[in-house]
Amino acid sequence: NAGVTQTPKFQVLKTGQSMTLQCAQDMNHEYMSWYRQDPGMGLRLIHYSVGAGITDQGEVPNGYNVSRSTTEDFPLRLLSAAPSQTSVYFCASSSTGGWDIQYFGAGTRLSVL
Amino acid sequence: AQKVTQAQTEISVVEKEDVTLDCVYETRDTTYYLFWYKQPPSGELVFLIRRNSFDEQNEISGRYSWNFQKSTSSFNFTITASQVVDSAVYFCALSDNRDNDMRFGAGTRLTVKP
């Protein structure tokens, strides 16, 4: 009964490095999304996908790329990490869309030095 | 544009007190959905409730209750007889059918002291 699985749980990067945050769900959900959580700002939507092959930008997309080749996976790529991307990242999925109940992964804590 | 305001940054109560967390929202749409999520110290986000804009009935679930008032654009959350396990950050969120995203408030950190 895995739900939404995120890896890694923790990561430290140097400025300019690239990495991919992994997200997988086993609930056959069409909608998947990535949020970042910063102190005092709640969660802000980075990118979302309404199905395989379809992605769109959220509120704070700059510096991040996504793709959705399968229903299960929705990786988030940082091409050139910056200190401003230090945050906690959450992946979420729902059955239909952004208006549906979101099921969240455990989060990835990322530090960019 | 959608916006959610949780004016209370932190609240501290003593166990068994009742506490209300405020949530005020803004949207242009007539069809929208309101949510509350709980984030305990362990960090995960736990869904508590979803309410659509056409259902203004208050909801009660055990010690939790929610008061939705469209006239004041508010969706407040009350915990009755609070317990230490209620200590968490609580987020109110809003989503409509237009943008397919969910906007969160900044969260309210609730501390329940024994």
Side-chain angles (χ1 to χ4, degrees):
Chain A
N1 201 14
V4 179
T5 302
Q6 288 183 238
T7 55
K9 286 186 167 42
F10 303 94
Q11 184 71 48
V12 179
L13 292 178
K14 294 181 180 178
T15 298
Q17 286 185 318
S18 63
M19 81 159 295
T20 300
L21 307 185
Q22 301 292 343
C23 177
Q25 54 94 5
D26 62 359
M27 297 174 282
N28 201 31
H29 284 170
E30 289 297 322
Y31 182 90
M32 296 185 74
S33 57
W34 277 101
Y35 290 85
R36 59 178 290 174
Q37 182 180 12
D38 301 295
M41 301 188 73
L43 281 79
R44 292 181 293 166
L45 182 66
I46 304 171
H47 286 285
Y48 65 91
S49 168
V50 298
I54 307 170
T55 64
D56 206 345
Q57 296 180 351
E59 186 183 358
V60 289
N62 293 340
Y64 308 95
N65 281 352
V66 293
S67 60
R68 182 108 178 260
S69 56
T70 66
T71 299
E72 295 77 22
D73 300 300
F74 190 44
L76 178 72
R77 296 181 187 85
L78 286 70
L79 297 180
S80 179
S84 60
Q85 294 178 305
T86 294
S87 187
V88 180
Y89 291 85
F90 287 96
C91 178
S93 74
S94 73
S95 182
T96 53
W99 54 85
D100 203 348
I101 298 169
Q102 304 295 313
Y103 295 89
F104 286 86
T108 296
R109 185 174 294 274
L110 176 67
S111 293
V112 183
L113 307 177
Chain B
Q2 301 176 84
K3 184 179 179 182
V4 177
T5 301
Q6 295 180 256
Q8 304 152 307
T9 304
E10 295 190 27
I11 299 175
S12 181
V13 299
V14 177
E15 207 170 19
K16 298 184 181 176
E17 284 186 29
D18 298 347
V19 58
T20 296
L21 310 182
D22 297 333
C23 173
V24 174
Y25 63 92
E26 297 176 29
T27 179
R28 298 169 296 177
D29 294 293
T30 57
T31 302
Y32 52 89
Y33 302 84
L34 293 162
F35 303 78
W36 277 93
Y37 284 86
K38 173 182 180 180
Q39 186 176 44
S42 53
E44 75 273 23
L45 284 143
V46 178
F47 166 78
L48 294 178
I49 190 171
R50 173 183 185 242
R51 174 69 72 214
N52 73 57
S53 53
F54 299 107
D55 183 1
E56 282 195 77
Q57 281 190 336
N58 291 333
E59 175 96 5
I60 298 175
S61 176
R63 296 184 296 106
Y64 295 173
S65 62
W66 290 269
N67 182 7
F68 177 27
Q69 291 194 335
K70 289 175 73 171
S71 60
T72 56
S73 297
S74 64
F75 186 44
N76 296 337
F77 173 30
T78 297
I79 301 174
T80 302
S82 59
Q83 300 177 1
V84 173
V85 293
D86 295 326
S87 295
V89 180
Y90 291 87
F91 291 99
C92 180
L94 165 69
S95 182
D96 59 31
N97 285 340
R98 184 195 305 271
D99 298 322
N100 207 8
D101 67 4
M102 184 178 289
R103 294 296 173 104
F104 283 77
T108 297
R109 181 179 299 278
L110 173 66
T111 301
V112 182
K113 299 179 181 178

